[in-house]
Amino acid sequence: MTALKKKIKIVKNIKINVDKCNGCRACEVICSASHAAPKYSSNNPARARIRVIREPLSDIYVPVFAGEYTAAECAGRDKYIIDGKEYEECAFCRASCPSRDIFREPDSDLPLKCDMCESDPTLEEPLCVSWCLADALIYEEREEEVEEQAAPEEVDADLEALANRHGWDKVADAVQRMKKKA
Ligand code: SF4
Ligand code: SF4
C-alpha cells in the first residue's frame, strides 16, 4: 500500500469583478514589465499574462488570466449575455489556443501562462492586483488539506524510528501482518 501523508496546500486565487474594471490596462502593463528579461527593461502588453477584453461602446471590460496551452481549437463556442451585455465568443476563456493571438509570446509564439507572480521573496499579492486601482482584481488565499505520497527517504526514516523502538523483527512482522489484511 502507498504511504500517503496529509499536507496543507495554499490555493491562490484572483477574483475578478468585471463591473469594476474600467479597461485602463494597468494590469497588462505591470505584468509584461515584470516578466520582461531583464525585469522591468521593457513593457509590451502583448507579452502580458493577463489581457483585458475591451469593447468601450458596449461598456464591456473583461480581464482574463492566461491559463493552459491547448494545441487544438474547440469545435463549439459559447456566447454569454449577462445583464443585457453580450460578450464575444471566447471572452472568458483562459486558454492559449491557435484560434486567437493573445497569450502567445509575440517573438517566439510560445504560450504564456499566469504564474501568480511567484518570486523569491514572495510578494504579498500579485502585481496586477496591486496595480488595479479600481479594485476589480481581488487576491485570495485558502488552505486545502491534500494527501501526497511520502518521499522514499521519509518512509525509510519513519521505519528506522519504529525499528529503534521495537526492533526490526517486530516491525517486519507487523508489516507482513498488515499487508495480509490490506
Ligand atoms: S488594472 Fe484593473 S481596472 Fe485596469 S484593466 Fe486591469 S483589471 Fe481592469
Ligand atoms: S498574477 Fe502576476 S503573472 Fe499573473 S497576470 Fe497578474 S501580474 Fe501577470
Side-chain angles (χ1 to χ4, degrees), residues 89-128:
E89 286 177 1
C90 313
F92 298 100
C93 181
R94 301 183 56 199
S96 165
C97 127
S99 69
R100 57 183 184 178
D101 59 4
I102 63 170
F103 303 148
R104 293 215 303 269
E105 219 285 328
D107 299 331
S108 62
D109 216 31
L110 288 170
L112 298 169
K113 186 178 173 192
C114 167
D115 58 9
M116 278 283 174
C117 290
E118 288 296 345
S119 63
D120 189 12
T122 310
L123 300 176
E124 231 170 75
E125 61 181 14
L127 288 166
C128 56

Side-chain angles (χ1 to χ4, degrees), residues 14 27 30-31 34-35 49-50 65 113-117 126-129:
I14 296 174
C27 49
I30 188 60
C31 181
S34 69
H35 285 83
R49 278 108 170 121
I50 180 170
F65 289 86
K113 186 178 173 192
C114 167
D115 58 9
M116 278 283 174
C117 290
L127 288 166
C128 56
V129 174

Side-chain angles (χ1 to χ4, degrees), residues 9 15 19 25 50-53 56 65 67 69 82 86 88 91 98 106 115 121 134 136 142 149 165:
K9 186 174 96 177
K15 204 157 76 179
D19 290 335
R25 302 180 73 191
I50 180 170
R51 296 305 299 272
V52 184
I53 311 290
F65 289 86
Y69 165 73
I82 304 171
E86 183 167 322
E88 67 174 37
D115 58 9
R142 68 171 193 278
Q149 210 171 314
R165 216 161 131 203

Side-chain angles (χ1 to χ4, degrees):
M1 201 165 54
T2 317
L4 293 174
K5 63 174 190 168
K6 304 255 187 219
K7 198 183 157 199
I8 298 294
K9 186 174 96 177
I10 304 288
V11 178
K12 300 176 176 183
N13 171 265
I14 296 174
K15 204 157 76 179
I16 302 160
N17 186 337
V18 289
D19 290 335
K20 287 193 171 177
C21 177
N22 57 28
C24 71
R25 302 180 73 191
C27 49
E28 294 181 355
V29 170
I30 188 60
C31 181
S32 73
S34 69
H35 285 83
K39 225 172 174 165
Y40 300 116
S41 61
S42 66
N43 156 35
N44 177 0
R47 295 200 166 94
R49 278 108 170 121
I50 180 170
R51 296 305 299 272
V52 184
I53 311 290
R54 300 171 79 254
E55 284 182 43
L57 292 180
S58 311
D59 190 31
I60 284 178
Y61 305 103
V62 187
V64 183
F65 289 86
E68 298 299 329
Y69 165 73
T70 171
E73 301 176 37
C74 44
R77 308 266 166 89
D78 299 320
K79 271 213 174 227
Y80 288 84
I81 299 173
I82 304 171
D83 290 339
K85 293 180 192 170
E86 183 167 322
Y87 292 83
E88 67 174 37
E89 286 177 1
C90 313
F92 298 100
C93 181
R94 301 183 56 199
S96 165
C97 127
S99 69
R100 57 183 184 178
D101 59 4
I102 63 170
F103 303 148
R104 293 215 303 269
E105 219 285 328
D107 299 331
S108 62
D109 216 31
L110 288 170
L112 298 169
K113 186 178 173 192
C114 167
D115 58 9
M116 278 283 174
C117 290
E118 288 296 345
S119 63
D120 189 12
T122 310
L123 300 176
E124 231 170 75
E125 61 181 14
L127 288 166
C128 56
V129 174
S130 329
W131 274 54
C132 179
L133 300 181
D135 291 334
L137 307 176
I138 301 133
Y139 180 60
E140 297 175 334
E141 278 184 5
R142 68 171 193 278
E143 290 186 347
E144 237 175 44
E145 197 176 72
V146 290
E147 283 188 334
E148 72 169 22
Q149 210 171 314
E153 54 275 17
E154 284 180 50
V155 179
D156 292 358
D158 288 349
L159 275 177
E160 201 168 347
L162 277 176
N164 289 342
R165 216 161 131 203
H166 304 289
W168 280 112
D169 288 346
K170 281 195 176 166
V171 172
D173 285 349
V175 170
Q176 285 304 326
R177 256 198 334 274
M178 288 170 77
K179 241 178 129 179
K180 276 183 200 158
K181 276 197 225 159

